[in-house]
Amino acid sequence: MSAESDLSTPSFTDLALPAPLLRALADVGYETPSPIQAATIPPLLDGRDVLGQAQTGTGKTAAFALPMLARIAKEPAGAPKVVVLAPTRELAIQVAEAFQKYAAFIPGFQVLPIYGGQAYGPQLGALKRGVHVVVGTPGRVIDHLDRGSLDLSQ
C-alpha cells in the first residue's frame, strides 16, 4: 500500500470523533469510514447542513448518527437534541438501535423510537424522563407534537 493511498482513506480517528464513539465503532468492527461517512461526518461535526445519497448498506445511518452523537455526547437527557424521521416503524426501530449501538460508551444516553401501533404510555414516560434522540414515524411524531408531549425547542 502506498503512502498516497493511506492519505486518501481516512480513519474514524482522522474524522475527529470522540473516544467513546471510536470505542463503539471498534467493538462493532468498523475499521474505516465508507465514502458517505468520510464525506458527511466532518461538515456535520462543524454544524453544517448536508444532503447525502448512497446505496443501501453503505453506512448512511452512521454517517449522520455519529456526528450527532459527538455533538450531544456531554449533554444531559432532557428535551430531545436530535429528531430523526423514518418512513416506517421498522426503519425507526433500526435507526434507534444503531444510535444505541454507537452510543454504547456514552453514559446515560437515551434514544426513543416512537411509531404507531405502540402504546403511548411508555413513549410518554420516556419523553417525561428525558431523551437525547427521538427516532419516529411522521404520524406519531405529529401526534406527540399535537399532544404537547414532544418538546422540539432544543
Side-chain angles (χ1 to χ4, degrees), residues 31-138:
E31 295 177 5
T32 57
S34 69
I36 188 76
Q37 294 163 353
T40 59
I41 290 173
L44 287 171
L45 284 172
D46 289 339
R48 299 196 337 247
D49 292 337
V50 172
L51 178 61
Q53 184 176 358
Q55 291 183 316
T56 300
T58 57
K60 291 182 298 292
T61 301
F64 70 82
L66 293 170
M68 296 303 102
L69 287 168
R71 291 176 60 98
I72 65 171
K74 293 184 176 137
E75 297 191 27
K81 309 297 184 273
V82 174
V83 176
V84 178
L85 293 177
T88 66
R89 76 179 71 179
E90 294 80 13
L91 189 56
I93 292 167
Q94 180 183 331
V95 170
E97 288 172 350
F99 265 94
Q100 193 64 57
K101 180 172 50 174
Y102 303 142
F105 299 104
I106 298 175
F109 175 78
Q110 296 293 318
V111 60
L112 176 65
I114 60 173
Y115 49 87
Q118 182 185 47
Y120 277 98
Q123 294 176 4
L124 293 169
L127 288 168
K128 283 184 182 179
R129 286 188 302 276
V131 298
H132 292 92
V133 176
V134 168
V135 182
T137 55

